[in-house]
Amino acid sequence: MILYHIVEQEKWLEASEGEGEDYEASSLVTEGFIHCSYSEQVIGTWNKVFDRRPGLWLLHINPALIEARIIDEDLYQMGEKFPHVYGPIPLRAVVKACPIEQFLN
């Protein structure tokens, strides 16, 4: 099963082309985890959270390559559980990164 994470293109390129071995979203500092989605949740997240903003990328993540805890949670009482990664995501776990619009095709 693949996890998905929506990110601004610049932030992804900075992480993937930088010196580090991990990707860390700002939410890891502010909330203690990185927000992710399952495939059936991606479009809803893009609509609700990001207002279908262009210029965003979708990371396709292999959870088997992540050492941090991954917990399905409904923290905001939305009636739906989302995967949260409680630590950095190794760059090697990102099996694909592309503009989110490509996910629609």
Side-chain angles (χ1 to χ4, degrees), residues 34-83:
I34 298 174
H35 293 267
C36 290
S37 299
Y38 293 112
S39 61
E40 66 273 9
Q41 298 170 318
V42 169
I43 300 305
T45 299
W46 186 34
N47 287 336
K48 293 176 190 172
V49 178
F50 296 96
D51 199 28
R52 287 187 78 88
R53 186 174 63 203
L56 298 173
W57 276 43
L58 187 65
L59 306 183
H60 299 65
I61 303 163
N62 180 345
L65 299 176
I66 298 175
E67 293 180 18
R69 289 181 306 140
I70 301 171
I71 303 173
D72 287 348
E73 299 175 292
D74 182 6
L75 295 179
Y76 307 109
Q77 312 312 313
M78 297 172 57
E80 186 174 17
K81 291 186 178 184
F82 288 83

